[in-house]
Amino acid sequence: MPSSTAHVATDAAARYAKQLASHLGRKAPVEDLPGDGFRLTFAAGEGTLTPEADRLIMRATAEDAESLATVQDVLGRHLERFGQRNELVVTWQEDPS
């Protein structure tokens, strides 16, 4: 199953994770994870948000590359919009198989 990870530098990772989960939770189921993290389940796949002190780690997983691109787009586009003032940039890296 293809997956990818993005490490987004921010000192407000927990706030962005909560905001993203709350916003996307209107259309997708959200599960709380330990340490202020969240798991979102989309039709195309799954995304996890894990806040750390200086970054937000986002992981996307899906059945195929096209679905993975959809999950990446949804998570990345919304986070960049929420973090526009702080110039957040999401860059996805493919996880090793």
Side-chain angles (χ1 to χ4, degrees), residues 3-94:
S3 64
S4 60
T5 303
H7 298 101
V8 183
T10 176
D11 59 357
R15 180 174 62 86
Y16 282 121
K18 184 175 182 177
Q19 183 180 14
L20 193 57
S22 175
H23 178 75
L24 295 176
R26 296 180 202 154
K27 295 186 178 188
V30 177
E31 177 187 345
D32 289 344
L33 297 175
D36 295 328
F38 300 93
R39 175 180 292 119
L40 298 100
T41 304
F42 304 102
E46 183 177 281
T48 58
L49 310 171
T50 307
E52 292 186 349
D54 61 349
R55 64 185 179 173
L56 176 61
I57 299 173
M58 299 194 305
R59 186 161 191 264
T61 307
E63 290 293 326
D64 55 58
E66 184 177 341
S67 297
L68 181 63
T70 300
V71 176
Q72 290 173 333
D73 178 62
V74 170
L75 292 174
R77 182 168 32 93
H78 285 89
L79 181 62
E80 286 180 345
R81 185 166 39 112
F82 295 149
Q84 187 174 15
R85 185 176 301 135
N86 294 321
E87 300 178 359
L88 295 188
V89 176
V90 177
T91 303
W92 293 97
Q93 300 291 323
E94 185 175 330

